[in-house]
Each structure stands twice: as C-alpha cells, then as structure tokens.
Amino acid sequence: MKYYFVLLLLVTGTALNAAALKPLIYKGGKHLTTRDTDTVIRKRSVSIGVNYGSDALFFGRTGPIKYPFMSTDFVYNAKSGFFVYGSAVKVLGYNPLVDELDLGTGFFYKYSKNVSGTISYSRFLFAKAAADIIKSASSNDINFKNSFDWKIAKSSVTADYLFGKSSDFFLTINTSKYIETSWSVFDDKDYLSFNPTISAIFGTQNFVQKFSRDHPNRFLLYDVSEPLEGSPEKPYNNGRFNALNYSVKLPIAYNRPHYTLEASWKYSIPVNVEGELKNRHEVFFNLTFYYLFF
C-alpha cells in the first residue's frame, strides 16, 4: 500500500504558541504520524485551518493580561518538500480586524526512516493598533527542527533564532506518544487520536526587556511604587541562557480523511520569570479545525 506524505502547519502554533511543524501522512483514509516502517511518497497538498486560543503564549511567556485570539491559516506543500504558509491573527476584544499577519516558507527532509526534520523562516507583521502581545518585540524567526521516532514515543529538538527589535535563541525539547483508536466513532472512515506531550523550553529573554521598555505603562497593572526586578529601571540579565518553561499537553482529535477537529489543554509551568510579567502556572486551551486538500 502506498503512503502519501502531506505537511500541515498550524501557523498559529508558530505565531502565538511557538509550536513547530506537524508532519502527517495519508494512509487509507487516515492521517497518521510518520512511523519508521512507512514508505513515504510526497504529494502536493493545500490545508486551511481555523484556531481559537485562550491566551497568547510565546516561548513559555505571556503578557501581563490575557489575550484570547482567533486565527486562520493556510499551507501549501510541494512534492519536493518545500512549503509556504500564512496566518492572520485576531486578538479578541481589540479594534484591528487583523492584529498580526505571519508569512513563511520552509523545507521538510528525512535523514532516515526514523529521523526527519524541517527548516523554515517566518516573518511576523503587526498592525499599528494591534494588542500589546509580548511577541511583538520579535519580527523574524529561523526555525530548525529534528525529530526522532524511537517506536515507543517520538522526540524532537527545535532551535529558534528570533530577531527584530530584540534577538533571542531558544531550544525546545519535546517527547510525545501518539495513540489512535482501533474503532470508529460514526463510520469506518473516522477515528480519535491522542498525542500527550511533555516539553521543556530553554533560551534567552531579551524580548521581555524590549517589551518592558516599549510598554512602561504596564506597571500600572500591579499598583507598585518601586520598580520591579526585571523592569526597565531594574533589569535582569536577559541575555543569559536559562530554562524558561516546562509543560504537559493533551490534544484530543476527531479525524476524518480530509479534516480534523482538535481540542487541546496545556498545563504550563514558567520558571526564571521576570518580576514584571508575573507569569504563573496556567492552563491554556486551544480548539482547532483544519481541512486538507490533496
């Protein structure tokens, strides 16, 4: 039986949740994560998606107030492995019709049956009246991801270099276990899938210092009389490479041959947090629908 490879990127993951590429294959009406026994044949594809998120999360950091958002996403994947994508993000409760537009391109490759990867570049464009999400200090991202499927689970290491108003480097380590049901829900063409994931993010935090300098009025949110540690008046050494965040995520998806509806919950544990941000343990919720043409 032939297996058809398609590349789906939920660009909002890269945009507001700092997620990485999500390779899928097509097998007899099911979308599956690539296994080491698969013979992969690339096929041209287009995917579109809509996503809701309970708060904007950027490499384990959030702003001083919540920013729930909606996004629409588009991905074109060529047979060669090259792909292009775009995403329009609307932060709920703010005036601009579109707060952020993300554009990017990249390439998917396979080292071997067990090892694959992607390299991509993303450009983030923000409206002048956009909500003050913490990500707005960065406008470019170079992403390099390598994944290893060791049968029991799948692990990945992702390096990101972000630059713009500030420059930062991040290293994200994930381990996930993909599970799908052997039974159908409504007919023989659908199934449920689960992909519990644990993650750790390490990196620098110059983007936080830039955000603080650009938005000094955020001190008013905490009603303090003395400058907080991590503020522009009393800065941290944000150029240090530190652990930033640990998280556990549980996505549950309903799948059919051409589309998927997924709900996911992420429990986030920020560490080495700057005083101004006041980040605490938090649960994030995302609801995503995407449709695949091939």
Side-chain angles (χ1 to χ4, degrees):
M1 180 181 293
K2 293 183 178 180
Y3 298 79
Y4 295 98
F5 171 81
V6 294
L7 182 65
L8 174 67
L9 172 65
L10 299 179
V11 183
T12 307
T14 305
L16 291 178
N17 294 286
L21 299 172
K22 186 178 181 181
L24 305 178
I25 61 171
Y26 178 71
K27 176 185 177 183
K30 291 188 176 183
H31 303 291
L32 306 174
T33 52
T34 305
R35 297 189 177 88
D36 59 354
T37 56
D38 290 332
T39 301
V40 176
I41 299 177
R42 291 173 177 151
K43 186 175 182 179
R44 184 183 299 112
S45 64
V46 174
S47 62
I48 57 175
V50 179
N51 178 55
Y52 164 79
S54 62
D55 194 6
L57 179 66
F58 185 66
F59 288 98
R61 294 292 182 261
T62 60
I65 60 177
K66 282 195 173 185
Y67 291 108
F69 63 91
M70 295 284 297
S71 73
T72 57
D73 313 301
F74 168 86
V75 184
Y76 170 76
N77 179 53
K79 292 181 180 180
S80 62
F82 283 98
F83 54 89
V84 294
Y85 53 88
S87 177
V89 181
K90 166 64 178 175
V91 178
L92 302 180
Y94 290 82
N95 290 327
L97 179 62
V98 176
D99 289 82
E100 178 185 343
L101 181 65
D102 300 335
L103 302 171
T105 185
F107 180 73
F108 171 86
Y109 53 88
K110 285 186 70 70
Y111 289 125
S112 65
K113 291 182 178 180
N114 295 333
V115 182
S116 61
T118 56
I119 184 167
S120 64
Y121 166 77
S122 300
R123 170 69 173 173
F124 311 135
L125 305 171
F126 301 94
K128 290 184 178 180
D132 296 329
I133 59 175
I134 194 168
K135 178 194 170 183
S136 58
S138 302
S139 55
N140 303 274
D141 178 25
I142 297 175
N143 176 283
F144 181 52
K145 176 182 179 181
N146 286 288
S147 300
F148 179 74
D149 189 342
W150 38 291
K151 296 184 179 181
I152 298 175
K154 188 172 185 178
S155 297
S156 66
V157 178
T158 305
D160 285 274
Y161 174 63
L162 284 95
F163 56 99
K165 294 181 180 178
S166 64
S167 297
D168 286 286
F169 176 77
F170 302 96
L171 192 67
T172 304
I173 302 172
N174 292 318
T175 296
S176 61
K177 173 62 176 178
Y178 179 81
I179 304 166
E180 67 178 42
T181 59
S182 58
W183 39 267
S184 300
V185 180
F186 298 109
D187 55 39
D188 60 359
K189 293 183 178 180
D190 68 357
Y191 66 103
L192 298 179
S193 61
F194 309 86
N195 195 26
T197 304
I198 56 174
S199 302
I201 302 175
F202 305 86
T204 58
Q205 303 183 72
N206 294 312
F207 69 97
V208 175
Q209 186 66 22
K210 181 59 179 176
F211 178 83
S212 300
R213 289 173 178 168
D214 288 347
H215 307 92
N217 60 314
R218 291 306 185 197
F219 283 114
L220 300 177
L221 294 173
Y222 305 119
D223 190 25
V224 294
S225 57
E226 294 294 330
L228 295 167
E229 189 176 7
S231 70
E233 292 81 5
K234 194 177 180 182
Y236 277 111
N237 180 8
N238 289 313
R240 290 180 300 179
F241 189 83
N242 279 328
L244 301 182
N245 184 273
Y246 303 103
S247 65
V248 179
K249 184 178 181 181
L250 178 60
I252 302 174
Y254 172 75
N255 306 272
R256 294 194 67 86
H258 284 273
Y259 67 83
T260 292
L261 177 64
E262 180 184 275
S264 67
W265 294 263
K266 175 186 282 189
Y267 181 62
S268 173
I269 306 171
V271 294
N272 296 314
V273 179
E274 301 74 9
E276 185 176 357
L277 288 182
K278 295 289 185 181
N279 282 188
R280 298 180 176 88
H281 296 194
E282 186 176 351
V283 176
F284 296 85
F285 174 73
N286 281 77
L287 183 64
T288 303
F289 173 83
Y290 56 83
Y291 193 93
L292 182 65
F293 302 88
F294 49 79

